[in-house]
Amino acid sequence: MTLRVYNTMSGKKEEFQPRVPGKVGMYVCGVTVYDYCHIGHARANIVFDIIYRYLQFADFETTYVRNYTDVDDKIINRANERGISSQELAEEFITAFDEDMDSLGLVKPTHEPRATEYIQQIIEINQKLIDKGIAYESSGDVYYSVAKFPDYLKLSKRNMEEMQAGARVAPGEQKRNPMDFALWKAAKPGEPGWESPWGAGRPGWHIECSAMSSSLLGESFDIHGGGRDLIFPHHENEIAQSEGASGKQFVKYWLHNGFVNVDQEKMSKSVGNFFTIRDILKIYDAEVIRFFILSAHYRSPIDFSEQNLAEAQSGLRRFYEALEAAAAATEGIDRPDVSSTEGAKVEEKFREAMDDDFNTALAIAHLFDGVRTMNRLVTTKKFRKKPELVAQVDDLYATILRLGKVLGLYRSQPTEWLEKVKLAGLTKLNITAEQITGFIEQRLQARAEKDFARGDEIRAELEEKGIVLLDTREGTNWRLK
RNA sequence: GGCCCCGUCGCCAAGUGGUAAGGCAGAGGUCUGCAACACCUUUAUCAGCAGUUCGAAUCUGCUCGGGGCCUCCA
């Protein structure tokens, strides 16, 4: 089975064949660093984190570039509001971004370039486009003439006439055509600027990605990703710039992730349903968020809600409980030399799902099947005396962890994770862990005295508070209802 | 107005021509002093209508409903 990916350009799933066999160049639009990242950024970055991991898992030597756009109107405005320099502001939010991505458990891309490190290359592309007659200078600004690029709008599949009806020219812009967009903006007093053939100025939005991608991956590369909302104008303009300058196909496969809604509504600052990653992480475990995001296909919209997060937590808990149980059940057993094919079966299904446009929801379903098989084996009578079953559990255990790693899941020690989530859930209830321990001791005492009525009473009282007691060979434990 | 997407069990969510995965919740059962976990069993004909086809959730058309982009946005 070969990997197939949905290409926004063709609107179809296509067989993935990198330009150079076995090697992949992938560029994903990062963030403009002027504010904290929200759950939508979390999704986009987690999705491409998984794509990157899976490409490597599938033996593609992958170069992954994710940029920081650290010069932009929004940054300048925000910095002015706060009375600090754009650079200081950008630095602050680059640090915040790194912290957030780290908390979410993302692997580092191969390169994380910043727009301001590529000013020279940006100027070169500008010059090339001007030399080719595709771009023009106008009182210190440089604009891209969309009429000179026949393929314009091929990605977003729009039509020029319609677009022009809605296009606006901002005050002060010297465009020949309202659809033209800025490649370079002359610096106004107090704005950051770099010397250029057109005077001091700064890059427009879009051009930085053309510069960074071509510098690090070449003029043509395999995968370009980002959120759906970037299709127009951002990616459309990148194509115009890059293909206009190079005359070559810019990107082979365009991948776009779907949005995150909040309680069925579009997330927006005006509605007030806007959640930053750091706020969410105060309430939910990072891995629960990842599990939630991967429980839907990356192109579908996903609804961020308390119920959906709670379900994600239940699902993830099922994995950790199974892993914990399997480890406990096989502890201290001598491992005879018996082979197992259980793991290979799960892996085959997993690969099949992931090969179909990174279908993480289906891939997780197959891992759940592995969990059920593992639980069934572990609870088989005289399990520990049946080497072939022990071998199968060992195999499944290792396979689930190994495949989970491709999704960035099951990174924690099961016992620690379960304990952490349990204690975190406790803060919502009106009881402390110490109080629960106290009740458990009372109940133990009652049971020792064969006072089962009192014991059950304590169980009922705790259950009312949302605590369930678990009697095991090792003693009594508790969990959240 | 233009372009695009979606509508699958109570909830979440796979499934793009061959007869409906998985999770959560629910019901019954095994296990347990009780309980929980786990395991077993059980719950849908796919918004509606009309077509194409031997055969459709999957293709076409229409209707209804929801959403996105077209200005900054993952």
Side-chain angles (χ1 to χ4, degrees), chain A residues 359-468:
Chain A
N359 193 336
T360 52
L362 186 57
I364 288 175
H366 294 315
L367 295 182
F368 268 117
D369 286 336
V371 162
R372 199 203 286 106
T373 308
M374 196 164 71
N375 282 333
R376 190 192 300 140
L377 293 168
V378 162
T379 51
T380 304
K381 286 203 166 60
K382 301 199 176 149
F383 163 73
R384 293 172 67 89
K385 299 207 166 129
K386 296 180 177 169
E388 71 281 6
L389 300 193
V390 173
Q392 286 170 3
V393 168
D394 279 346
D395 187 18
L396 281 170
Y397 183 91
T399 302
I400 289 169
L401 282 183
R402 190 162 48 82
L403 299 180
K405 202 169 173 193
V406 178
L407 302 178
L409 295 171
Y410 328 130
R411 306 188 305 268
S412 310
Q413 276 299 310
T415 310
E416 279 171 28
W417 187 88
L418 291 167
E419 193 67 14
K420 184 177 70 179
V421 167
K422 194 168 82 170
L423 292 176
L426 206 58
T427 60
K428 288 181 207 146
L429 303 176
N430 199 14
I431 191 166
T432 65
E434 290 71 32
Q435 286 171 314
I436 295 171
T437 310
F439 279 116
I440 289 175
E441 277 164 15
Q442 281 182 39
R443 178 163 168 275
L444 198 67
Q445 181 69 32
R447 295 204 318 162
E449 291 163 10
K450 301 273 191 254
D451 185 358
F452 291 116
R454 174 60 189 149
D456 290 352
E457 212 174 282
I458 292 171
R459 172 187 289 288
E461 278 169 30
L462 284 173
E463 188 156 351
E464 215 165 287
K465 293 186 205 290
I467 304 297
V468 181

Side-chain angles (χ1 to χ4, degrees), chain A residues 159-308:
Chain A
N159 116 1
M160 193 72 92
E161 288 70 42
E162 295 289 341
M163 296 293 293
Q164 274 173 340
R168 290 185 321 206
V169 180
E173 288 185 326
Q174 310 288 319
K175 294 182 187 175
R176 290 179 191 164
N177 177 324
M179 288 292 290
D180 291 350
F181 58 92
L183 297 172
W184 187 260
K185 296 180 176 186
K188 300 192 195 86
E191 287 184 351
W194 286 262
E195 274 313 312
S196 80
W198 319 286
R202 61 192 156 87
W205 183 41
H206 316 304
I207 188 74
E208 82 282 15
C209 285
S210 288
M212 290 183 271
S213 61
S214 63
S215 298
L216 293 164
L217 297 170
E219 288 174 328
S220 296
F221 55 95
D222 304 297
I223 295 176
H224 193 127
R228 288 188 76 85
D229 50 343
L230 294 180
I231 295 172
F232 185 88
H234 188 54
H235 289 162
E236 196 70 71
N237 290 355
E238 276 186 54
I239 293 171
Q241 293 158 354
S242 295
E243 297 192 353
S246 73
K248 297 176 192 161
Q249 183 189 44
F250 177 41
V251 167
K252 202 163 174 191
Y253 304 97
W254 287 91
L255 271 46
H256 294 97
N257 66 275
F259 284 121
V260 176
N261 293 132
V262 173
D263 291 325
Q264 322 250 32
E265 262 190 298
K266 185 191 165 162
M267 179 171 65
S268 77
K269 285 181 177 171
S270 54
V271 182
N273 57 355
F274 199 81
F275 293 101
T276 64
I277 292 172
R278 40 195 60 202
D279 282 343
I280 292 164
L281 285 173
K282 286 176 194 157
I283 308 167
Y284 298 103
D285 176 72
E287 219 173 309
V288 169
I289 293 170
R290 178 180 282 260
F291 193 88
F292 160 69
I293 285 169
L294 298 182
S295 65
H297 184 90
Y298 77 90
R299 282 187 283 117
S300 307
I302 192 168
D303 191 39
F304 184 83
S305 68
E306 204 170 322
Q307 191 193 339
N308 290 164

